[in-house]
Amino acid sequence: MNIVCCIKQVPDTATVIKIDPEEKHIQREGITYIVSPYDEFAVEEALQIKEKLGDTTVTVVTMGPERAKEALRQCFAMGADEGYHLVDDAFDDSDTYATATTLAAAIKKIDFDLIICGKHAVDGDTSQVGAQVAELLDIPQVSMIMKEEINDDKKTAVVNRQLEGGEEVLEVQLPSLWTCQKGLNEPRYPTLKGIMGTKKKPITDFTVSDLGLSPEEVGLLGSKTDVSKMYPPPPRLPGRIVEGEPEEAVKELAKLLREEAKVI
Amino acid sequence: MDFTIPEDIKHMQDLTRRFVKEEVLPREEEIEERDEIPEDIVKKLKELGFFGVTIPKEYGGLGIGTLGWSIMNIELGKGHPAIGGFLSLNNGTGWRGLYLYGREDQKQKYLPGVASGDIITAFGLTEPEAGSDAANIQTHADKEGDNYVINGRKHFISNGPIADLVTVMVVTDKAKRARGGISAFLVEKGTSGFRPGQTHRKMGNKGAQQSELIFEDCVVPASNMVGQLGDGFKVAMCTLDETRLTVLAGAVGMAERCMEMSRDYAKMRVQFGKPIAEFQAIQWMLADMATEIYASKMMLYNAAWRYDQGERITREAAMFKLYASEMVCRCADRALQIHGGMGYMKELPIERIYRDARLLRIVDGTSEIQKLIIAKDILKEG
């Protein structure tokens, strides 16, 4: 089988994010980058399928600047076999639609039976790209999977997806695209030997012309949305303790919740 | 001069940092209280390849040099130092002599197991009468046919109670001693007449196992000798330059943790109506810590890199060992002072680091011995 995992390099979740003065981007200085945690679930699941079925290639695909190669190599260290890096200045400032357009164009050039993505990237938090890629490739999609099992025919799979308070069990055809929810698996540590071997694994670069796309279809020009302003959430106000006898205090609390907080 | 850390080593540093954060720090109290490294942590370290970082690739290791291992050991130092100490034996001290002086069949027999962590190694030099005066060892081996019979007692031996393979230094010619009268032998666990003795109870360095090694008519084949008859002191000394770099790399990590904890605490702790980080008395201590850590790191990076290029760095290793061990004691002391009463409590790891740091001015050659080594090297010149 050929499994493609779409991954994204994102700021480390421990990073304190600062917004640049133009209020369109986050400040890049001093940020350390990681593979988005949900994408690690995708790579882990692909590796587990490989270990179970054998004779499987795990390919990782990412769009991003030059530094994003490091994210591909982090996936290699876990055990992924090869990588594609969609790297071109024309891809800058892509929204989810332009990103999905670019990813789908790249994946069309790769032989695949299954695509696995994280359910969302922890920077933009949009949860759209996986679904959009599936639509653009015209293949079935299952979002937020918690469990999967590929049937013996390798043409169908049984997939559990998370619902509010329960799980839904689906049978889905391959090729299809799945996005991963937390709890699907526990991503492995890369081994030191895996890290040593990362330089030997191939990374193919794709530019906008390699993908047969025009610059108008990608990046800011190909985007359907435009970031008009980016700002940090207002600082959280400290809590308040309502003093007094319970009967009086409850009345006061109810009043505050209704009149000030406006939640009841 | 290019000080960029190569990308693969950076990824190893990241992995080590993550392992410490996720696997070691949540359990550092457990390691301390139980005075041992939990088996499941050892198992994970084996799976990830931490035992064979420096062993050459042809013997099943990763062949990462001293610089790479030192950078990883800085990260291990930010967790519980027992882990770095334990791993350091299999990443240098426990087999460097065998590698440099041993025969090919000996290397083939042992090194792959050392790299995988299935063979835990120890290095048997120190004795009750031979600490700083290492040449004064009393344990001796007498030739009987094709065998040697070893008698004597080692002590303070790291991994002593658990080692599968010990490189042990013994006297084979009392008249010659350090000048060709000491030889090195490989002794396997379970060899008749060889057993670990009492496990030592210590001020700190919990979780690391140190014990006596007792040899009573222990018979080993002459083929277990490392190098030639009389090579033992060379075998012992050649491992020490490297050990002084990699083990004290852990001290840099310990000091960094002291500084980071102190910084965070000083920003949070309010006295006299403001965070104590706003007082110069605290700022000076933080500045001193950061400066000394930086100096140590630069000494380490430079010396380790030069060692990897094949240079002799005895003087630089001694300088780094001297400086880093004294530096970490100062940092632990300042961290304790900044944390005040809280730092003295068992709830925080600072009192533990304070005790652990103190060992480093003694182990692998005391500060005073390092100064003798440095001075001797200076006086050779001119």
Side-chain angles (χ1 to χ4, degrees), chain B residues 316-380:
Chain B
E316 290 77 6
M319 286 171 160
F320 169 67
K321 203 272 167 186
L322 170 66
Y323 186 76
S325 61
E326 308 246 335
M327 177 279 295
V328 70
C329 287
R330 287 193 294 272
C331 286
D333 189 71
R334 292 179 190 121
L336 189 50
Q337 198 65 17
I338 290 171
H339 283 76
M342 262 328 287
Y344 200 69
M345 298 297 131
K346 292 265 181 197
E347 278 85 349
L348 291 181
I350 292 171
E351 64 83 27
R352 191 207 81 219
I353 296 172
Y354 188 86
R355 288 181 285 114
D356 289 341
R358 190 61 185 81
L359 170 69
L360 298 171
R361 282 160 57 193
I362 300 167
V363 74
D364 296 324
T366 60
S367 290
E368 293 70 24
I369 289 292
Q370 304 310 319
K371 289 182 193 180
L372 293 182
I373 294 168
I374 298 162
K376 189 177 161 190
D377 203 61
I378 296 168
L379 293 170
K380 270 202 315 208

Side-chain angles (χ1 to χ4, degrees), chain A residues 94-155:
Chain A
S94 292
D95 72 351
T96 60
Y97 183 76
T99 304
T101 304
T102 314
L103 283 170
I107 294 170
K108 273 184 196 161
K109 293 185 167 289
I110 308 167
D111 189 21
F112 68 92
D113 301 295
L114 174 63
I115 303 169
I116 315 182
C117 309
K119 86 169 164 78
H120 75 274
V122 299
D123 55 354
D125 276 338
T126 60
S127 306
Q128 293 174 5
V129 172
Q132 290 170 338
V133 169
E135 284 304 308
L136 291 166
L137 293 172
D138 197 21
I139 56 171
Q141 52 168 302
V142 186
S143 59
M144 291 210 267
I145 67 163
M146 295 296 287
K147 196 178 151 192
E148 54 76 23
E149 178 129 29
I150 292 172
N151 293 327
D152 291 339
D153 62 7
K154 294 183 188 172
K155 290 190 166 65

